[in-house]
Amino acid sequence: NCMSIKNVVINSGVTSIGDAAFSDCTSLESVTIPDSVTSIGNYAFNNCSGLETIYLEATTPPALCGDNFTDDNYANITLNVPIGTKAIYAAAENWKNFKNIVEVDFTCIDNIEAEGAEGNSVYYDLGGRPVNEPVKGSVYIVDGKKVVL
């Protein structure tokens, strides 16, 4: 039963999503599909009425078999694809039906927040050695967490 699942991140190395894999997961809001997935089975996302966002990391669109999405899904789901691939997805069978295709960079970190890294904290380098004068922009271990100053 997948009625309470909101977000799914499929592990890298998975090559296909089976028929009806997430069918009737009405609470599913987002799914991340790694570049290793080459095919998505029939009805894999059938009746996922809450689905808002799909992250597709593949530069080549995976084969999308059969009926997975309704006209409402095609109009309302945002399809996030790698930079430089929007035109490819917009021309690919079944994927071209999505009205909202957005290019995103899957290779970088957008934002890093460090909490509690100020004040009298003791800084350690990644080798565990104490650092007397931390340098802004460097990575340290503070209170057991990796932080960027």
Side-chain angles (χ1 to χ4, degrees):
N1 187 334
C2 64
M3 298 294 254
S4 62
I5 296 173
K6 288 188 177 261
N7 304 301
V8 171
V9 177
I10 297 171
N11 290 335
S12 183
V14 171
T15 58
S16 65
I17 298 172
D19 290 348
F22 298 100
S23 185
D24 297 317
C25 292
T26 55
S27 295
L28 186 62
E29 295 174 359
S30 74
V31 61
T32 300
I33 301 172
D35 60 0
S36 57
V37 171
T38 57
S39 67
I40 298 173
N42 202 16
Y43 299 106
F45 296 100
N46 183 55
N47 198 30
C48 291
S49 55
L51 192 56
E52 300 169 352
T53 309
I54 299 174
Y55 297 94
L56 280 157
E57 298 177 351
T59 54
T60 300
L64 184 58
C65 304
D67 296 319
N68 277 290
F69 303 104
T70 64
D71 288 341
D72 283 343
N73 292 142
Y74 286 126
N76 297 316
I77 292 173
T78 299
L79 196 63
N80 293 278
V81 300
I83 289 175
T85 64
K86 181 177 180 177
I88 296 168
Y89 277 88
E93 191 63 33
N94 293 322
W95 297 112
K96 66 184 175 187
N97 297 327
F98 284 90
K99 306 299 181 215
N100 304 308
I101 301 175
V102 178
E103 292 183 342
V104 297
D105 186 355
F106 289 108
T107 63
C108 72
I109 298 171
D110 289 330
N111 187 24
I112 297 175
E113 294 181 22
E115 296 178 12
E118 287 89 30
N120 297 327
S121 297
V122 178
Y123 295 85
Y124 297 90
D125 65 18
L126 295 179
R129 296 174 293 272
V131 175
N132 294 327
E133 296 181 30
V135 177
K136 193 169 186 94
S138 297
V139 179
Y140 297 100
I141 298 172
V142 179
D143 298 325
K145 298 178 184 174
K146 289 182 185 175
V147 297
V148 176
L149 287 184

